[in-house]
Amino acid sequence: MPAKGVHVAVTADVVVAGGGVIGAAIAWRAAAAGLDVILVDPERGDAASLVAAGMLAPASEALFGEGALLRVNLLALERFGSFAAELEDATGHRIGVRREGTLAIAYDPGDYAVLMRLTAFRRSAGLGAEELDSRACRKLESFLTPDVHGGVLFAGDWSVDNRRYAAALREAMAGAKVRIAADRVTEVLIRDGQARGVRLADGGDIGSAQVVVATGCWTSAVSGLPARLRSAVRPVKGQLLRLRHPDGMPPVLTRTIRATVRGADVYLVPRADGEVIVGATQEERGPDRTVTAGAVHDLLHDAMSVLPVTSELILAETCAGLRPGTPDNGPIVGGFGAGNGPGGLLLATGHYRNGILMSPVTADAIVAGLTGQPPAAEWEPFTPGRFAGGEGSG
């Protein structure tokens, strides 16, 4: 059981601050590599991980100017299958991986023009994309409205049940003997230019040779990090809905739908248990996790515009999470180069919309750093040094 109040006499090889899917994946794989690991988190990392849609969609989410991010996302999707298999073998639980692809659809001609520009860019990046007219879209998903103007099938995209995935990671950590402290890291302890452990909100310390900060949108609250790096991570609010089929109703979707409705984006992600996730807003409102009537209305309106049968589903849950955003939309992963920050301190934060997707390869990169190995080359643009700038800690 998580133990409140781990104090100064406690030591470990590695302390992982943050218990979302990023921190949990790192802790599990670090323990599997033979390291003694303590993970510190006050509420099992639910700021983002438990309210995500679980899309593993590097193709349908690729945007102009984010080539480096696309490369690491493609690496992440390539790794996810084997990582998921290892996790399911370790726990005996299925985590709901689906491989049916993403159908991106446009509601009107203006939406379609935007989709075609994005599709041309994605093809230029080597991504598979099949253009479909309205009839072909409805042949794939029969409940779509006939008003849909057209779409594109990105067959290489996947999805996963984020809550099953997070629960399996916690179970895998327990099986690997990761110790858990139900507390919050307030400071990374630095001495002589080297991380020496962490200070907890309850006043206790944990000593360690290495520290991994995987605190997501709360990274700015951790003292001991370079000041510019702390300010680089901000919370981006996202509201989403969880819908369920009434008893006896057949599934209304077989694959993820990403729709643009008069310029507004909405996605619908089916689950194996009959749930449908509808999301998500992107709001710069700081650490606000309230659910608003306007967001619920807009998400339902846009979902019903493209999938009218949505109105017959049960509104099972409304929720809001906080994604960790950065100025360039890229993650912050790895250690510091000479002069940029303390030794023994690694960052795994700022994953924004891609935390679920990137969690396996982030764990690989961080465990490589912990064990003195180089990470994959795709991570080179996303090191902490791009924000640390050689500044002192704050």
Side-chain angles (χ1 to χ4, degrees), residues 8-77:
V8 68
V10 175
T11 62
D13 296 330
V14 181
V15 173
V16 177
V21 295
I22 298 293
I26 291 167
W28 173 43
R29 300 317 300 159
L35 297 171
D36 178 29
V37 181
I38 295 177
L39 181 140
V40 183
D41 191 274
E43 52 182 11
R44 300 199 304 189
D46 66 355
S49 299
L50 299 185
V51 291
M55 290 183 292
L56 312 175
S60 64
E61 291 194 344
L63 298 175
F64 297 107
E66 295 186 351
L69 183 60
L70 173 60
R71 287 188 287 276
V72 78
N73 279 338
L74 290 171
L75 177 70
L77 185 63

Side-chain angles (χ1 to χ4, degrees), residues 309-393:
V309 73
T310 301
S311 64
E312 300 180 30
L313 302 182
I314 298 166
L315 180 58
E317 183 182 347
T318 61
C319 50
L322 300 173
R323 311 176 188 93
T326 65
D328 59 9
N329 292 336
I332 304 172
V333 174
F336 295 84
N340 280 335
L345 175 61
L346 296 93
L347 273 289
T349 186
H351 292 79
Y352 194 28
R353 303 184 308 265
N354 298 302
I356 303 288
L357 171 62
M358 287 190 184
S359 50
V361 286
T362 298
D364 290 346
I366 295 299
V367 173
L370 293 171
T371 56
Q373 303 299 314
E378 286 86 349
W379 286 111
E380 186 175 350
F382 302 109
T383 64
R386 76 188 195 277
F387 294 122
E391 296 183 5
S393 299

Side-chain angles (χ1 to χ4, degrees), residues 4-5 32 58 70 89 104 107 110 146 173 178 193 195 202 267 287 305 307 326 374 376 384:
K4 180 87 172 176
L70 173 60
D89 286 346
Y107 185 75
M173 282 197 302
V178 173
D202 77 347
Y267 55 71
S305 294
L307 196 77
T326 65

